[in-house]
Amino acid sequence: MEMKKRINLELRNRAPEKVTELVLDNCRSSNGEIEGLNDSFKELEFLSMANVELTSLAKLPTLSKLRKLELSDNIISGGLEVLAERCPNLTYLNLSGNKIKDLGTVEALQNLKNLKSLDLFNCEITNLEDYRDSIFELLQQITYLDGFDQEDNEAPDSEDDDDEEGDEDDDDEDEDEAGPPGEYEEEDDEDDGGSDLGEGEEEEEVGLSYLMKEEIQDEDDDDDYVEEGGDEEEEEGIRGEKRKRDPEDEGEEEDD
């Protein structure tokens, strides 16, 4: 598959200026040069062109935000000065498996001031005597060569670094929010417990007082109703007795 077609496939319906990662591994370059990659990829941070039979970087566009460039297993033998001109912010460069033979070719990377990791594994240059010491002396800005630093400590995986930094940031934020452990937790628990208990008791007392008041009011209402009813009945009884007695009294008066 040609590189240009592969780029179009990778883009699909996305605009080039919004792409941050582009992988073109195992496709074929046009006459050993880059085809289809242009300056419109302004936000590109990661570009991989492994095993694409690339012989030259002459057509590499300006990618000012590019940080990682994978060029392993190609046929590149020189012309590395283009990288400093068009990708000045590179921090990682993989040239393993290319045709790089001498220190003069690598010297062009001195102008990549941000370069931290360089991979030349399986290049002929690795057969030179004192290869590692010579590269570290030539490119003093790099920390890792072929995956190891000058003390033979292995380079950490970039993704793991990001995860660890993210975890540390999260831990710091948690500590800032929670404060020093063990100082305030017990006080908060005591305060919460006391406040909950007090509120519960107050609510219970208020509830009981309210119920008692309601019951007393109901009793008073019942008593008033009974008393009122009793008075009416007594009055009616008295009136009835008076009505019964009146004719008799009249009859007695007539006899007299």
Coordinates of all heavy atoms in Angstrom, one line a residue, residues 19-109:
V19 N -5.1 16.1 13.8 CA -4.5 14.8 14.1 C -3.3 15.0 15.0 O -2.4 15.8 14.7 CB -4.1 14.1 12.8 CG1 -3.3 12.8 13.1 CG2 -5.3 13.8 11.9
T20 N -3.2 14.2 16.1 CA -2.0 14.3 17.0 C -1.1 13.1 16.9 O 0.1 13.1 17.3 CB -2.5 14.5 18.4 OG1 -3.3 13.4 18.8 CG2 -3.2 15.8 18.6
E21 N -1.6 12.0 16.4 CA -0.9 10.7 16.2 C -1.1 10.1 14.8 O -2.3 10.1 14.4 CB -1.2 9.7 17.3 CG -0.9 10.1 18.7 CD -1.2 9.0 19.7 OE1 -1.5 7.9 19.3 OE2 -1.0 9.3 20.9
L22 N 0.0 9.7 14.2 CA -0.2 9.1 12.8 C 0.8 7.9 12.7 O 2.0 8.1 12.9 CB 0.2 10.2 11.8 CG -0.1 9.8 10.3 CD1 -1.5 9.4 10.1 CD2 0.4 10.9 9.4
V23 N 0.2 6.8 12.4 CA 1.0 5.5 12.3 C 1.0 5.1 10.8 O -0.1 4.7 10.3 CB 0.5 4.4 13.2 CG1 1.3 3.2 13.0 CG2 0.6 4.9 14.7
L24 N 2.1 5.0 10.2 CA 2.2 4.6 8.8 C 3.1 3.4 8.6 O 3.6 3.1 7.5 CB 2.7 5.7 7.9 CG 2.0 7.1 8.0 CD1 2.7 8.2 7.3 CD2 0.6 6.9 7.4
D25 N 3.2 2.6 9.6 CA 4.1 1.4 9.6 C 3.8 0.4 8.5 O 2.6 0.2 8.2 CB 4.1 0.7 10.9 CG 4.6 1.5 12.1 OD1 5.1 2.6 11.8 OD2 4.4 1.1 13.2
N26 N 4.8 -0.1 7.8 CA 4.7 -1.2 6.9 C 4.1 -0.8 5.5 O 3.8 -1.7 4.7 CB 3.9 -2.4 7.5 CG 4.6 -2.9 8.7 OD1 5.8 -3.1 8.8 ND2 3.8 -3.2 9.8
C27 N 3.7 0.4 5.3 CA 3.3 0.8 4.0 C 4.6 1.2 3.2 O 5.7 1.2 3.7 CB 2.3 2.0 4.0 SG 3.0 3.5 4.6
R28 N 4.4 1.5 1.9 CA 5.6 1.7 1.1 C 5.7 3.2 0.7 O 4.7 3.8 0.2 CB 5.5 0.8 -0.2 CG 5.7 -0.7 0.1 CD 7.1 -1.0 0.6 NE 7.2 -2.3 1.1 CZ 7.2 -2.7 2.4 NH1 7.0 -1.7 3.3 NH2 7.3 -3.9 2.8
S29 N 6.9 3.7 0.8 CA 7.1 5.1 0.4 C 7.3 5.2 -1.1 O 7.5 4.2 -1.8 CB 8.4 5.6 1.1 OG 9.5 4.9 0.7
S30 N 7.1 6.4 -1.6 CA 7.3 6.6 -3.0 C 8.7 7.0 -3.4 O 9.2 8.0 -3.0 CB 6.3 7.8 -3.5 OG 6.5 8.0 -4.8
N31 N 9.4 6.0 -4.0 CA 10.8 6.2 -4.4 C 11.7 6.5 -3.2 O 12.7 7.3 -3.3 CB 11.0 7.3 -5.4 CG 10.2 7.0 -6.7 OD1 10.3 5.9 -7.2 ND2 9.6 8.0 -7.3
G32 N 11.3 5.9 -2.1 CA 12.1 6.1 -0.9 C 11.9 7.4 -0.2 O 12.7 7.7 0.8
E33 N 10.9 8.1 -0.5 CA 10.6 9.4 0.1 C 9.2 9.5 0.6 O 8.4 8.7 0.3 CB 10.9 10.6 -0.9 CG 12.3 10.7 -1.4 CD 12.5 11.9 -2.3 OE1 11.5 12.3 -2.9 OE2 13.7 12.3 -2.6
I34 N 9.0 10.5 1.5 CA 7.7 10.7 2.1 C 6.7 11.3 1.1 O 7.0 12.3 0.5 CB 7.8 11.6 3.4 CG1 8.7 10.9 4.4 CG2 6.4 11.8 4.0 CD1 9.1 11.8 5.5
E35 N 5.5 10.7 1.0 CA 4.5 11.2 0.1 C 3.2 11.3 0.8 O 2.8 10.4 1.4 CB 4.4 10.3 -1.2 CG 3.4 10.8 -2.2 CD 3.3 9.9 -3.4 OE1 3.7 8.7 -3.2 OE2 2.7 10.2 -4.4
G36 N 2.6 12.5 0.7 CA 1.3 12.7 1.3 C 1.3 13.3 2.6 O 0.2 13.8 3.1
L37 N 2.5 13.4 3.3 CA 2.6 14.1 4.6 C 3.0 15.5 4.3 O 4.0 15.7 3.7 CB 3.6 13.3 5.4 CG 3.7 13.7 6.9 CD1 2.4 13.3 7.6 CD2 4.8 13.0 7.6
N38 N 2.2 16.5 4.8 CA 2.5 17.9 4.6 C 2.4 18.8 5.8 O 2.2 18.3 6.9 CB 1.6 18.4 3.4 CG 0.1 18.1 3.8 OD1 -0.3 18.5 4.8 ND2 -0.6 17.5 2.8
D39 N 2.6 20.1 5.6 CA 2.7 21.0 6.7 C 1.3 21.2 7.4 O 1.2 21.9 8.4 CB 3.1 22.4 6.2 CG 4.6 22.3 5.8 OD1 5.3 21.4 6.2 OD2 5.0 23.2 5.0
S40 N 0.2 20.7 6.8 CA -1.1 20.8 7.5 C -1.3 20.0 8.8 O -2.2 20.3 9.5 CB -2.2 20.4 6.5 OG -2.1 19.1 6.1
F41 N -0.3 19.1 9.0 CA -0.4 18.3 10.3 C 0.3 19.1 11.4 O 1.3 18.7 12.0 CB 0.3 17.0 10.1 CG -0.5 16.0 9.2 CD1 -0.3 16.1 7.8 CD2 -1.3 15.1 9.7 CE1 -1.0 15.2 6.9 CE2 -2.0 14.2 8.9 CZ -1.9 14.3 7.5
K42 N -0.3 20.2 11.7 CA 0.3 21.2 12.7 C 0.3 20.7 14.1 O 1.2 21.1 14.9 CB -0.4 22.5 12.6 CG -0.3 23.2 11.2 CD -1.0 24.5 11.2 CE -0.9 25.2 9.8 NZ -1.7 26.4 9.8
E43 N -0.6 19.8 14.5 CA -0.8 19.4 15.9 C -0.1 18.0 16.1 O -0.3 17.4 17.2 CB -2.2 19.3 16.3 CG -3.0 20.7 16.2 CD -2.4 21.7 17.2 OE1 -2.0 21.2 18.3 OE2 -2.2 22.8 16.8
L44 N 0.5 17.5 15.1 CA 1.1 16.1 15.2 C 2.2 16.0 16.3 O 3.2 16.8 16.2 CB 1.7 15.7 13.8 CG 1.8 14.2 13.6 CD1 0.5 13.5 13.7 CD2 2.5 13.9 12.2
E45 N 2.0 15.1 17.2 CA 3.0 14.9 18.3 C 3.7 13.6 18.2 O 4.8 13.4 18.7 CB 2.3 15.0 19.6 CG 1.7 16.4 19.9 CD 0.9 16.4 21.2 OE1 1.0 15.4 22.0 OE2 0.3 17.5 21.5
F46 N 3.1 12.6 17.5 CA 3.7 11.3 17.4 C 3.5 10.8 16.0 O 2.4 10.8 15.4 CB 3.0 10.3 18.4 CG 3.5 8.9 18.2 CD1 4.7 8.4 18.7 CD2 2.7 8.0 17.4 CE1 5.1 7.1 18.5 CE2 3.1 6.6 17.3 CZ 4.3 6.2 17.8
L47 N 4.7 10.4 15.3 CA 4.7 9.9 14.0 C 5.5 8.7 13.9 O 6.7 8.6 14.3 CB 5.3 11.0 13.0 CG 5.4 10.6 11.5 CD1 4.1 10.2 10.9 CD2 6.1 11.7 10.8
S48 N 4.9 7.6 13.3 CA 5.6 6.4 13.2 C 5.6 5.9 11.7 O 4.6 5.8 11.1 CB 5.0 5.3 14.0 OG 5.7 4.1 13.9
M49 N 6.9 5.8 11.2 CA 7.0 5.3 9.8 C 8.1 4.2 9.8 O 9.1 4.3 9.2 CB 7.5 6.4 8.9 CG 6.4 7.5 8.7 SD 6.9 8.8 7.5 CE 8.3 9.6 8.3
A50 N 7.8 3.1 10.5 CA 8.7 1.9 10.6 C 8.5 1.0 9.4 O 7.3 0.7 9.0 CB 8.4 1.2 11.9
N51 N 9.6 0.6 8.8 CA 9.6 -0.4 7.7 C 8.7 0.1 6.6 O 7.8 -0.6 6.1 CB 9.0 -1.8 8.3 CG 9.2 -2.9 7.2 OD1 10.2 -2.9 6.5 ND2 8.3 -3.8 7.3
V52 N 9.1 1.3 6.1 CA 8.4 1.8 4.9 C 9.4 2.0 3.7 O 9.1 2.6 2.7 CB 7.7 3.1 5.2 CG1 6.6 2.9 6.2 CG2 8.7 4.2 5.6
E53 N 10.6 1.4 3.8 CA 11.6 1.5 2.8 C 12.0 3.0 2.6 O 12.3 3.4 1.4 CB 11.2 0.9 1.5 CG 10.9 -0.6 1.7 CD 10.6 -1.3 0.3 OE1 10.4 -0.6 -0.7 OE2 10.4 -2.5 0.3
L54 N 12.1 3.7 3.6 CA 12.4 5.2 3.5 C 13.9 5.3 3.4 O 14.7 4.8 4.2 CB 11.9 5.9 4.8 CG 11.8 7.4 4.7 CD1 10.8 7.8 3.6 CD2 11.3 7.9 6.1
T55 N 14.4 6.1 2.4 CA 15.8 6.3 2.2 C 16.2 7.8 2.5 O 17.4 8.1 2.7 CB 16.2 6.0 0.8 OG1 15.5 6.9 -0.1 CG2 16.0 4.6 0.5
S56 N 15.2 8.7 2.5 CA 15.5 10.1 2.7 C 14.4 10.8 3.5 O 13.2 10.4 3.5 CB 15.6 10.8 1.3 OG 15.7 12.2 1.5
L57 N 14.9 11.8 4.2 CA 14.0 12.7 5.0 C 13.8 14.1 4.4 O 13.2 15.0 5.0 CB 14.5 12.9 6.4 CG 14.6 11.6 7.3 CD1 15.3 11.9 8.6 CD2 13.2 10.9 7.5
A58 N 14.2 14.2 3.1 CA 14.2 15.5 2.4 C 12.8 16.1 2.3 O 12.6 17.3 2.4 CB 14.8 15.3 1.0
K59 N 11.8 15.2 2.2 CA 10.4 15.7 2.1 C 9.6 15.7 3.4 O 8.4 15.9 3.4 CB 9.6 14.9 1.0 CG 10.1 15.1 -0.4 CD 9.3 14.4 -1.4 CE 9.7 14.6 -2.8 NZ 8.9 14.0 -3.8
L60 N 10.3 15.6 4.5 CA 9.6 15.6 5.8 C 9.1 17.1 6.0 O 9.9 18.0 5.9 CB 10.6 15.3 6.9 CG 10.0 15.2 8.3 CD1 9.1 14.0 8.5 CD2 11.1 15.1 9.4
P61 N 7.8 17.2 6.3 CA 7.3 18.6 6.5 C 7.7 19.2 7.8 O 8.2 18.5 8.7 CB 5.8 18.4 6.4 CG 5.6 17.0 6.9 CD 6.8 16.2 6.4
T62 N 7.4 20.5 8.0 CA 7.7 21.1 9.3 C 6.6 20.7 10.3 O 5.4 20.9 10.1 CB 7.6 22.6 9.1 OG1 8.7 23.0 8.2 CG2 7.8 23.3 10.5
L63 N 7.0 20.0 11.3 CA 6.1 19.5 12.4 C 6.7 20.0 13.7 O 7.3 19.3 14.5 CB 6.1 18.0 12.4 CG 5.7 17.3 11.0 CD1 5.9 15.8 11.0 CD2 4.2 17.7 10.7
S64 N 6.3 21.2 14.0 CA 6.9 21.9 15.2 C 6.5 21.3 16.5 O 7.2 21.5 17.5 CB 6.5 23.4 15.2 OG 5.1 23.6 15.2
K65 N 5.4 20.6 16.6 CA 4.9 20.0 17.8 C 5.3 18.5 18.0 O 5.0 17.9 19.0 CB 3.4 20.2 18.0 CG 3.0 21.6 18.2 CD 1.5 21.7 18.6 CE 1.1 23.1 18.9 NZ -0.3 23.2 19.4
L66 N 6.0 18.0 17.0 CA 6.3 16.6 17.0 C 7.3 16.3 18.1 O 8.4 16.9 18.2 CB 6.9 16.1 15.7 CG 7.0 14.6 15.4 CD1 5.6 14.0 15.3 CD2 7.9 14.3 14.2
R67 N 7.0 15.3 19.0 CA 7.9 14.9 20.1 C 8.5 13.5 19.9 O 9.6 13.3 20.4 CB 7.1 15.0 21.4 CG 6.6 16.4 21.7 CD 5.7 16.4 23.0 NE 6.4 16.0 24.1 CZ 6.2 14.8 24.8 NH1 5.2 14.0 24.4 NH2 6.9 14.5 25.8
K68 N 7.8 12.6 19.3 CA 8.3 11.2 19.1 C 8.2 10.9 17.6 O 7.2 11.0 17.0 CB 7.4 10.3 19.9 CG 7.5 10.5 21.4 CD 6.7 9.4 22.2 CE 7.4 8.0 22.0 NZ 6.7 7.0 22.8
L69 N 9.4 10.4 17.2 CA 9.5 10.0 15.8 C 10.1 8.6 15.6 O 11.2 8.4 16.1 CB 10.3 11.0 15.0 CG 10.6 10.7 13.5 CD1 9.2 10.7 12.7 CD2 11.5 11.8 12.9
E70 N 9.3 7.7 15.1 CA 9.7 6.3 14.9 C 10.1 6.1 13.4 O 9.3 6.2 12.5 CB 8.6 5.3 15.2 CG 8.3 5.3 16.7 CD 9.1 4.2 17.5 OE1 9.9 3.6 16.8 OE2 8.9 4.1 18.7
L71 N 11.4 5.8 13.2 CA 11.9 5.6 11.8 C 12.7 4.2 11.7 O 13.6 4.1 10.9 CB 12.8 6.7 11.4 CG 12.1 8.1 11.3 CD1 13.2 9.2 11.0 CD2 11.1 8.1 10.2
S72 N 12.3 3.3 12.5 CA 13.1 2.0 12.6 C 12.9 1.2 11.3 O 11.9 1.3 10.6 CB 12.7 1.2 13.8 OG 11.3 0.9 13.8
D73 N 13.9 0.4 11.0 CA 13.9 -0.6 9.9 C 13.6 0.0 8.6 O 12.8 -0.4 7.8 CB 12.8 -1.7 10.2 CG 13.1 -2.4 11.5 OD1 14.3 -2.7 11.8 OD2 12.1 -2.7 12.2
N74 N 14.3 1.1 8.3 CA 14.3 1.8 7.0 C 15.7 1.7 6.4 O 16.6 0.9 6.8 CB 13.8 3.2 7.1 CG 12.3 3.3 7.3 OD1 11.5 2.9 6.4 ND2 11.8 3.7 8.4
I75 N 16.0 2.6 5.4 CA 17.2 2.5 4.7 C 17.9 3.9 4.8 O 18.6 4.3 3.8 CB 17.0 2.1 3.2 CG1 16.0 1.0 3.1 CG2 18.3 1.6 2.6 CD1 15.6 0.6 1.7
I76 N 17.7 4.6 5.8 CA 18.3 6.0 6.0 C 19.7 5.9 6.3 O 20.2 5.1 7.2 CB 17.5 6.7 7.1 CG1 16.0 6.8 6.7 CG2 18.1 8.1 7.4 CD1 15.1 7.3 7.9
S77 N 20.5 6.6 5.6 CA 22.0 6.6 5.8 C 22.6 8.0 6.2 O 23.7 8.1 6.5 CB 22.7 6.1 4.6 OG 22.4 6.8 3.5
G78 N 21.7 9.0 6.0 CA 22.2 10.4 6.3 C 21.1 11.4 6.2 O 19.9 11.1 6.2
G79 N 21.5 12.7 6.1 CA 20.5 13.7 6.0 C 19.7 14.0 7.3 O 18.6 14.5 7.2
L80 N 20.3 13.7 8.4 CA 19.6 13.9 9.7 C 19.5 15.3 10.1 O 18.7 15.7 11.0 CB 20.3 13.1 10.8 CG 20.4 11.6 10.6 CD1 21.0 10.9 11.8 CD2 19.0 11.0 10.3
E81 N 20.2 16.2 9.5 CA 20.2 17.7 9.8 C 18.8 18.2 9.6 O 18.4 19.3 10.2 CB 21.2 18.5 9.0 CG 21.1 18.4 7.5 CD 21.7 17.2 6.9 OE1 22.3 16.4 7.6 OE2 21.6 17.1 5.7
V82 N 18.0 17.6 8.7 CA 16.6 18.0 8.4 C 15.8 18.0 9.7 O 14.9 18.8 9.9 CB 16.0 17.1 7.3 CG1 14.5 17.4 7.2 CG2 16.7 17.3 6.0
L83 N 16.0 17.0 10.6 CA 15.2 16.9 11.8 C 15.3 18.1 12.7 O 14.3 18.6 13.2 CB 15.7 15.6 12.6 CG 15.5 14.3 11.8 CD1 16.1 13.2 12.6 CD2 14.0 14.1 11.6
A84 N 16.4 18.7 12.9 CA 16.6 19.9 13.7 C 15.9 21.1 13.1 O 15.4 21.9 13.8 CB 18.1 20.2 14.0
E85 N 15.8 21.1 11.8 CA 15.2 22.3 11.1 C 13.7 22.2 11.2 O 13.0 23.2 11.4 CB 15.7 22.3 9.6 CG 17.1 22.5 9.5 CD 17.6 22.4 8.0 OE1 16.7 22.2 7.1 OE2 18.8 22.4 7.7
R86 N 13.1 21.0 11.0 CA 11.7 20.8 10.8 C 11.0 20.2 12.0 O 9.8 20.3 12.1 CB 11.4 20.0 9.6 CG 12.0 20.6 8.3 CD 11.8 19.8 7.1 NE 12.6 20.4 6.0 CZ 12.7 19.9 4.8 NH1 12.0 18.7 4.5 NH2 13.4 20.4 3.8
C87 N 11.7 19.5 12.9 CA 11.1 19.0 14.1 C 11.9 19.3 15.3 O 12.5 18.5 16.0 CB 11.0 17.4 14.0 SG 10.2 16.9 12.5
P88 N 12.0 20.6 15.7 CA 12.9 21.1 16.7 C 12.6 20.6 18.1 O 13.5 20.7 19.0 CB 12.8 22.6 16.6 CG 11.5 22.9 16.0 CD 11.2 21.7 15.1
N89 N 11.4 20.1 18.3 CA 11.0 19.8 19.7 C 11.0 18.2 19.9 O 10.4 17.8 20.9 CB 9.6 20.3 20.0 CG 9.6 21.8 20.1 OD1 10.4 22.4 20.8 ND2 8.7 22.5 19.4
L90 N 11.7 17.5 19.1 CA 11.8 16.1 19.3 C 12.4 15.7 20.6 O 13.5 16.3 21.0 CB 12.6 15.4 18.2 CG 11.9 15.1 16.9 CD1 12.9 14.4 15.9 CD2 10.7 14.2 17.1
T91 N 11.8 14.8 21.4 CA 12.4 14.3 22.6 C 12.8 12.8 22.5 O 13.6 12.3 23.2 CB 11.4 14.4 23.8 OG1 10.2 13.7 23.5 CG2 11.1 15.9 24.0
Y92 N 12.2 12.1 21.5 CA 12.5 10.7 21.3 C 12.7 10.4 19.8 O 11.8 10.8 19.0 CB 11.3 9.9 21.8 CG 11.4 8.4 21.5 CD1 12.1 7.5 22.4 CD2 10.8 7.8 20.4 CE1 12.2 6.2 22.1 CE2 10.9 6.5 20.1 CZ 11.6 5.7 21.0 OH 11.7 4.3 20.7
L93 N 13.8 9.8 19.4 CA 14.0 9.4 18.0 C 14.5 8.0 17.9 O 15.5 7.6 18.5 CB 15.1 10.4 17.5 CG 15.6 10.1 16.0 CD1 14.4 10.2 15.0 CD2 16.7 11.1 15.6
N94 N 13.8 7.2 17.1 CA 14.2 5.8 16.9 C 14.7 5.6 15.5 O 13.9 5.7 14.5 CB 13.0 4.9 17.2 CG 13.4 3.4 17.2 OD1 14.5 3.0 16.8 ND2 12.5 2.6 17.7
L95 N 16.0 5.4 15.3 CA 16.6 5.1 14.0 C 17.2 3.7 13.9 O 18.1 3.4 13.1 CB 17.7 6.1 13.8 CG 17.3 7.6 13.5 CD1 18.5 8.5 13.6 CD2 16.6 7.7 12.2
S96 N 16.7 2.8 14.8 CA 17.3 1.4 14.8 C 17.0 0.7 13.5 O 16.0 0.9 12.9 CB 16.7 0.7 16.0 OG 15.3 0.5 15.8
G97 N 18.0 -0.1 13.1 CA 17.8 -0.9 11.9 C 18.0 -0.1 10.6 O 17.5 -0.5 9.5
N98 N 18.6 1.1 10.7 CA 18.9 1.8 9.4 C 20.4 1.7 9.0 O 21.1 0.8 9.6 CB 18.6 3.3 9.7 CG 17.1 3.6 9.5 OD1 16.6 3.8 8.4 ND2 16.4 3.6 10.6
K99 N 20.8 2.5 8.1 CA 22.2 2.3 7.5 C 23.2 3.4 8.0 O 24.0 3.9 7.3 CB 22.1 2.4 6.0 CG 21.2 1.4 5.3 CD 21.6 -0.1 5.6 CE 20.7 -1.1 4.9 NZ 21.2 -2.5 5.2
I100 N 23.0 3.7 9.3 CA 23.9 4.7 9.9 C 25.2 4.1 10.3 O 25.2 3.1 11.1 CB 23.2 5.4 11.0 CG1 21.9 6.1 10.5 CG2 24.1 6.4 11.8 CD1 21.0 6.6 11.6
K101 N 26.3 4.6 9.8 CA 27.6 3.9 10.0 C 28.6 4.7 10.9 O 29.4 4.1 11.5 CB 28.2 3.6 8.7 CG 27.4 2.8 7.7 CD 28.1 2.6 6.4 CE 27.3 1.8 5.4 NZ 28.0 1.6 4.1
D102 N 28.5 6.0 10.9 CA 29.6 6.7 11.5 C 29.1 7.9 12.4 O 27.9 8.3 12.3 CB 30.6 7.3 10.5 CG 29.9 8.1 9.4 OD1 29.2 9.1 9.8 OD2 29.9 7.7 8.2
L103 N 30.0 8.4 13.3 CA 29.6 9.5 14.2 C 29.3 10.8 13.5 O 28.5 11.6 14.0 CB 30.8 9.7 15.2 CG 31.1 8.5 16.2 CD1 32.3 8.8 17.0 CD2 29.9 8.3 17.1
G104 N 29.9 11.0 12.3 CA 29.6 12.2 11.6 C 28.2 12.3 11.2 O 27.6 13.4 11.2
T105 N 27.5 11.2 10.9 CA 26.1 11.2 10.5 C 25.3 11.6 11.8 O 24.3 12.4 11.7 CB 25.7 9.9 10.0 OG1 26.5 9.5 8.9 CG2 24.2 9.9 9.6
V106 N 25.6 11.1 12.9 CA 24.9 11.3 14.1 C 25.1 12.8 14.7 O 24.3 13.4 15.3 CB 25.2 10.3 15.2 CG1 24.5 10.6 16.5 CG2 24.9 8.9 14.7
E107 N 26.3 13.3 14.3 CA 26.6 14.7 14.8 C 25.5 15.7 14.4 O 25.4 16.7 15.2 CB 28.0 15.1 14.2 CG 28.5 16.4 14.8 CD 29.9 16.7 14.3 OE1 30.4 15.9 13.4 OE2 30.5 17.7 14.7
A108 N 24.8 15.5 13.4 CA 23.8 16.4 12.9 C 22.6 16.5 14.0 O 21.8 17.5 13.9 CB 23.2 16.0 11.6
L109 N 22.6 15.6 14.9 CA 21.5 15.6 15.9 C 21.8 16.5 17.1 O 21.0 16.7 18.0 CB 21.2 14.2 16.4 CG 20.8 13.2 15.4 CD1 20.6 11.8 16.0 CD2 19.5 13.6 14.7

